[in-house]
Amino acid sequence: MSSRRLVIVLRTFTRSHSTSTTKITSSSFSSSVDVAEVSKFRLLADRWWNENGEFQALHSLNQLRVPFIREQLLQQHPPFNLHLSHATEKTIQTPTLAMSTSKNFLEPLKGFKLLDIGCGGGLLAEPLARLGASILGIDACLESIETAKLHADLSLTGRLNYKHVTLEQLCEDQSEHEKYDAIIASEVFEHINDIDKFVENTNKLLKSGGLCFVTTINRTVTSYVVAILGAEYLFRAVPQGTHDWNRLIKPVDLTMIFEKMKTGTA
């Protein structure tokens, strides 16, 4: 049986977070896109890279997301071993090996193929590409994809790609199946229609042994007070209606969905 691991980070706004791992299997798909949710982000598409704007929280979250994803991937697949024996220590001074070693430190994710679902303006995809990963960002909002492409550094050409496509549409391409070492769905689950189908389709695209990274707001009283009443109505850090507390998900519920995929009872 093929295996995939789920890594969940649900923000609780109390400095605690939950992580979990499980295994999943596959199958069938229908649309998980919520047109109303896409419309919300269409209105904000030109503000993705404003660090003091509506997406300030996501910029700040990168301080957690990027190193966490990097470390989890490297634990799964350790890079080139830099611990040289005494007999070969001097060889590191040769230009070729020295350059290779330096590149390994600067681009530790080189060789990894990642998929960022609901990538928005590329806030997470771009820094991961700078770490060496080959990454495809997809989003149902065309305006967000255009913003991501416009912001992308030319030095990342060939390594960082974006497509205006849904997860379901990507699944229709058989060449995409079991292609990715890791799939990222960051701050996405609270904006989609059918979480079960979303999980099924995500699994289709993961390689055996691949990782699925999920970050989302935990459904707690604290999150309602801070993320909705505070952020949307009191401080107006994000537009009112950005989040619906009833659509937020708890760690145990999300893990159960993945467990259903594993047992085939979904």
Side-chain angles (χ1 to χ4, degrees):
M1 180 184 293
S2 62
S3 64
R4 282 88 167 167
R5 288 202 300 132
L6 166 70
V7 181
I8 312 173
V9 178
L10 288 102
R11 295 187 286 125
T12 64
F13 297 94
T14 58
R15 290 190 175 272
S16 63
H17 67 268
S18 173
T19 63
S20 176
T21 62
T22 189
K23 297 178 180 178
I24 54 179
T25 52
S26 55
S27 224
S28 93
F29 59 86
S30 64
S31 179
S32 58
V33 174
D34 187 319
V35 176
E37 292 295 307
V38 174
S39 297
K40 293 178 185 178
F41 288 97
R42 181 173 292 118
L43 297 174
L44 302 172
D46 61 343
R47 307 176 203 174
W48 278 103
W49 288 95
N50 179 359
E51 296 185 15
N52 298 312
E54 290 88 342
F55 298 110
Q56 182 180 20
L58 294 184
H59 283 276
S60 299
L61 191 57
N62 268 2
Q63 297 176 41
L64 168 66
R65 296 189 295 185
V66 174
F68 182 80
I69 292 171
R70 179 191 64 212
E71 295 308 314
Q72 289 293 317
L73 286 172
L74 294 181
Q75 285 180 28
Q76 182 85 341
H77 301 286
F80 170 68
N81 188 357
L82 298 178
H83 300 290
L84 304 176
S85 67
H86 178 73
T88 59
E89 277 181 350
K90 291 183 180 179
T91 63
I92 200 169
Q93 299 304 320
T94 62
T96 302
L97 186 54
M99 186 179 300
S100 174
T101 304
S102 174
K103 195 172 186 65
N104 186 269
F105 279 116
L106 294 174
E107 300 179 350
L109 299 185
K110 189 173 181 62
F112 284 97
K113 290 184 178 180
L114 311 181
L115 174 66
D116 184 6
I117 303 173
C119 65
L123 268 60
L124 182 55
E126 191 166 315
L128 289 173
R130 292 186 187 282
L131 290 176
S134 174
I135 185 164
L136 171 64
I138 66 171
D139 203 286
C141 179
L142 175 60
E143 291 81 359
S144 291
I145 289 293
E146 290 175 342
T147 296
K149 288 180 177 179
L150 185 63
H151 190 272
D153 195 296
L154 290 177
S155 65
L156 301 177
T157 301
R159 181 190 303 169
L160 175 61
N161 295 286
Y162 294 106
K163 283 185 179 180
H164 172 227
V165 66
T166 66
L167 172 61
E168 292 75 26
Q169 290 169 333
L170 193 67
C171 281
E172 292 177 355
D173 184 351
Q174 291 292 323
S175 68
E176 294 288 330
H177 288 203
E178 297 189 12
K179 177 179 180 179
Y180 298 97
D181 297 297
I183 292 179
I184 302 158
S186 186
E187 311 307 299
V188 170
F189 275 74
E190 62 266 41
H191 300 292
I192 59 178
N193 269 333
D194 192 331
I195 293 178
D196 293 80
K197 290 299 182 182
F198 186 93
V199 170
E200 287 184 24
N201 289 318
T202 297
N203 181 56
K204 290 182 179 181
L205 307 180
L206 268 179
K207 290 180 180 178
S208 177
L211 295 174
C212 181
F213 294 93
V214 175
T215 74
T216 188
I217 303 172
N218 196 355
R219 183 158 51 85
T220 63
V221 173
T222 305
S223 69
Y224 179 76
V225 173
V226 177
I228 297 179
L229 294 182
E232 296 184 17
Y233 292 89
L234 180 59
F235 299 106
R236 299 190 179 183
V238 295
Q240 293 180 12
T242 297
H243 295 106
D244 179 346
W245 188 82
N246 292 310
R247 299 182 70 157
L248 305 184
I249 189 166
K250 291 178 174 291
V252 62
D253 296 331
L254 188 53
T255 300
M256 284 178 60
I257 292 173
F258 277 83
E259 288 292 341
K260 287 181 185 178
M261 297 302 111
K262 180 179 69 173
T263 59
T265 58

